């Protein structure tokens, strides 16, 4: 089959690789009809994620049609159309039982590698380094899906791929980010990053009762999309987010803050230069500019929710402000399985059509150039959908 493979920083290729097969009887094999490129893929593309190997297949936002079914799978049969969560979860361990699916204790076969860095290993993820399982991703014609009874959700008739694809990741991620922000009715929520995750966090903040949503970015079309979602916007290259947020909240600061940017935050000034240099020479894996800014901006006793992905180590986090202002911090890879049914219901009921975020739809063969376009935010690119079947 054809698949998008990682080779090194900035070098991904579409190559012919062996077709996946059933390995465990709890697997299914899915013929991929749509797969998206995520902001998280950019961290791999940028070479920031350790334990990537040449030839690894990327992609964790995937859907398609089941073509092979392991003998132990009870929920699915050939021909079922499914969306696949990016986290692989066994459904049976202590963490899965508590619905902490992205923390599954059994799905990562390379647990020791992750535990060495983090103390304990989170779940295995599709297309996301060997430390997180070395699972082949979904930017390919076919994908093997382990623990099929726990992961995928069947798509009701009448919905397009574009309407449901983002249940695999960014819609639940934006939703969990807003849930983690602990929004009380009428509160002001500030969201850093108007990428796809920020866009879904904006819409989810409204669903969860926000009174005001303020989104921060510098890319014009992304801020425009945020305004279409009824957010007010701050261009951080024109107005200082701290000054602006303090002024617009009567000196109190936003009640709830969401960092939907993560490890590759862009920053002006000395702090940005410091992180850039340290990250380049690998003394720091992350550029935590937004994390610092959100801690500073958040009102006393507020909550900071962090869906933005961090990888390893970051410097100069203002822990003093965090502690003395009594902030609550919540974060994590999304427990996607928890949100599949409730968010599918919102799509079916017409409360939201997630396809609004798509700007580019291309055949898989064009994926390498779309990685570049998406990374550089050229051509108005906000979200790319790949069509592996042409
Ligand atoms: N927790 C999870 O399970 C999960 C799931 C999906 C994605 N993510 C992470 O969420 C983050 C966002 O993903 P995305 O797909 O929206 O990515 P993206 O790269 O498209 O968007 C990031 C946005 O942040 C903006 N930005 C950069 N520096 C900024 C700053 N200083 N202030 C404000 N905005 C700034 C960029 O202009 C861009 O629009 C990534 O780190 C990604 O890895 C996490
Ligand atoms: Zn993702
Ligand atoms: Zn588990």
């Amino acid at each position: 089959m054809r698949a998008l493979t990682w080779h090194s920083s900035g070098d991904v290729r579409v190559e012919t690789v062996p077709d996946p097969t059933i390995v465990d009887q709890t697997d299914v094999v899915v013929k991929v009809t749509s797969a998206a490129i995520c902001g998280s893929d950019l961290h791999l593309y940028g070479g920031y994620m350790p334990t990537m190997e040449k030839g690894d297949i990327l992609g964790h936002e995937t859907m398609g049609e089941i073509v092979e079914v392991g003998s132990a799978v009870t929920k699915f049969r050939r021909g079922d159309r499914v969306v696949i969560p990016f986290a692989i979860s066994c459904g049976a361990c202590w963490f899965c039982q508590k619905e902490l699916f992205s923390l599954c204790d059994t799905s990562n076969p390379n647990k020791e590698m992750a535990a060495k860095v983090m103390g304990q290993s989170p779940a295995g993820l599709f297309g996301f380094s060997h430390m997180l399982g070395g699972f082949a991703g979904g930017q390919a014609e076919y994908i093997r899906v382990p623990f099929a009874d726990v992961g995928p959700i069947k798509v009701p008739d009448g919905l397009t791929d574009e309407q449901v694809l983002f249940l695999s990741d960014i819609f639940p991620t934006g939703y969990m980010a807003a849930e983690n922000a602990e929004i009380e009715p009428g509160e002001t929520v500030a969201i850093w990053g108007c990428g796809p995750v920020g866009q879904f966090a904006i819409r989810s903040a409204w669903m969860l009762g926000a009174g005001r949503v303020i989104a921060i970015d510098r890319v014009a079309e992304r801020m425009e999309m945020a305004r279409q979602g009824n957010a007010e916007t701050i261009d951080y290259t024109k107005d200082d987010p701290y000054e602006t947020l303090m002024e617009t909240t009567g000196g109190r600061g936003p009640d709830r803050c969401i960092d939907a940017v993560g490890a590759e935050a862009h920053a002006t000034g000395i702090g940005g230069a410091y992180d850039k240099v340290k990250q380049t020479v690998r003394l720091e894996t992350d550029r935590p500019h937004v994390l610092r800014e959100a801690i500073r901006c958040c009102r006393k006793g507020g909550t900071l929710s962090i869906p933005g992905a961090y990888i390893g180590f970051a410097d100069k986090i203002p822990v003093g402000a965090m502690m003395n202002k009594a902030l609550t911090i919540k974060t994590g890879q999304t427990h996607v399985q928890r949100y599949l049914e409730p968010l599918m219901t919102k799509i079916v009921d017409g409360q939201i059509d997630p396809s609004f975020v798509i700007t580019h739809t291309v055949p898989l063969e064009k994926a390498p150039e779309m990685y570049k376009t998406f990374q550089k935010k050229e051509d108005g690119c906000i979200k790319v959908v790949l069509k592996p079947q042409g």
Side-chain angles (χ1 to χ4, degrees):
M1 68 167 181
R2 302 288 283 167
L4 188 280
T5 57
W6 184 93
H7 287 265
S8 64
S9 171
D11 180 2
V12 292
R13 306 173 193 170
V14 178
E15 296 179 309
T16 301
V17 301
D19 286 353
T21 51
I22 301 280
V23 176
D24 298 313
Q25 291 310 319
T26 46
D27 297 348
V28 296
V29 174
V30 172
K31 180 168 104 182
V32 179
T33 54
S34 298
I37 306 177
C38 178
S40 298
D41 291 322
L42 293 181
H43 308 319
L44 313 180
Y45 184 62
Y48 297 115
M49 185 77 196
T51 75
M52 289 296 293
E53 289 175 15
K54 282 185 193 307
D56 284 349
I57 301 173
L58 299 187
H60 58 269
E61 300 186 358
T62 317
M63 66 175 293
E65 184 192 317
I66 293 181
V67 290
E68 277 182 70
V69 185
S71 60
V73 173
T74 58
K75 247 171 82 178
F76 298 107
R77 17 168 114 181
R78 278 179 73 136
D80 283 346
R81 199 168 150 238
V82 291
V83 181
I84 307 161
F86 75 83
I88 302 168
S89 316
C90 76
C93 72
W94 190 87
F95 293 91
C96 285
Q97 288 295 306
K98 291 192 161 2
E99 297 201 331
L100 299 167
F101 293 105
S102 71
L103 304 176
C104 175
D105 230 359
T106 41
S107 64
N108 182 0
N110 302 330
K111 283 168 82 142
E112 302 77 32
M113 245 192 244
K116 239 184 225 158
V117 184
M118 301 188 221
Q120 299 102 25
S121 171
L125 308 181
F126 287 108
F128 225 96
S129 84
H130 288 265
M131 186 167 87
L132 296 176
F135 290 97
Q139 290 164 3
E141 286 181 275
Y142 295 89
I143 182 173
R144 168 190 163 231
V145 180
F147 300 112
D149 278 339
V150 186
I153 183 169
K154 223 188 259 191
V155 180
D157 291 341
L159 297 173
T160 62
D161 277 22
E162 286 67 21
Q163 283 175 291
V164 294
L165 173 62
F166 303 129
L167 287 171
S168 58
D169 179 350
I170 53 171
F171 184 16
T173 295
Y175 196 85
M176 181 165 121
E179 233 178 42
N180 275 347
E182 308 179 313
I183 303 163
E184 290 182 15
E187 284 187 332
T188 297
V189 182
I191 300 175
W192 277 257
C194 296
V197 170
Q199 298 296 338
F200 283 101
I202 291 168
R203 278 119 186 121
S204 302
W206 290 122
M207 289 176 193
L208 292 167
R212 247 184 117 181
V213 179
I214 305 171
I216 303 148
D217 206 301
R218 64 167 168 162
V219 182
E221 61 274 12
R222 292 176 178 226
M223 291 194 295
E224 175 53 33
M225 191 181 269
R227 285 191 292 272
Q228 281 163 15
N230 295 319
E232 302 161 49
T233 53
I234 299 172
D235 178 343
Y236 69 84
T237 60
K238 295 198 177 119
D239 298 303
D240 178 67
Y242 172 77
E243 302 291 342
T244 314
L245 287 168
M246 288 301 280
E247 193 184 307
T248 191
T249 56
R252 190 188 285 175
D255 303 294
R256 314 291 165 185
C257 293
I258 298 178
D259 169 0
V261 179
E264 290 185 65
H266 168 263
T268 47
I270 186 79
Y274 173 89
D275 288 329
K276 190 98 198 164
V277 168
K278 286 201 82 171
Q279 193 181 49
T280 306
V281 299
R282 299 295 189 262
L283 279 173
E284 187 179 41
T285 53
D286 301 78
R287 302 199 303 259
H289 175 75
V290 165
L291 202 52
R292 294 185 194 122
E293 192 164 77
I295 290 172
R296 184 163 145 79
C297 292
C298 194
R299 77 134 154 91
K300 294 178 280 181
T303 306
L304 170 53
S305 160
I306 312 169
Y310 288 90
I311 297 160
F313 302 91
D315 286 3
K316 302 205 174 349
I317 304 297
V319 282
M322 190 179 89
M323 186 274 167
N324 286 288
K325 295 204 307 178
L327 301 186
T328 299
I329 311 260
K330 288 191 151 190
T331 182
Q333 299 281 3
T334 307
H335 306 301
V336 179
Q337 285 86 336
R338 213 200 264 176
Y339 298 94
L340 288 174
E341 298 225 348
L343 297 186
M344 179 70 91
T345 304
K346 288 189 191 297
I347 296 171
V348 171
D349 291 351
Q351 286 182 50
I352 183 165
D353 178 353
S355 66
F356 76 87
V357 77
I358 302 170
T359 52
H360 291 68
T361 303
V362 300
L364 177 66
E365 299 294 327
K366 288 213 159 149
E369 63 188 85
M370 289 320 297
Y371 263 81
K372 204 172 283 166
T373 305
F374 178 47
Q375 184 197 43
K376 296 195 177 316
K377 302 177 181 64
E378 289 168 349
D379 196 30
C381 186
I382 300 178
K383 190 73 181 176
V384 181
V385 176
L386 306 170
K387 295 285 184 181
Q389 309 302 324

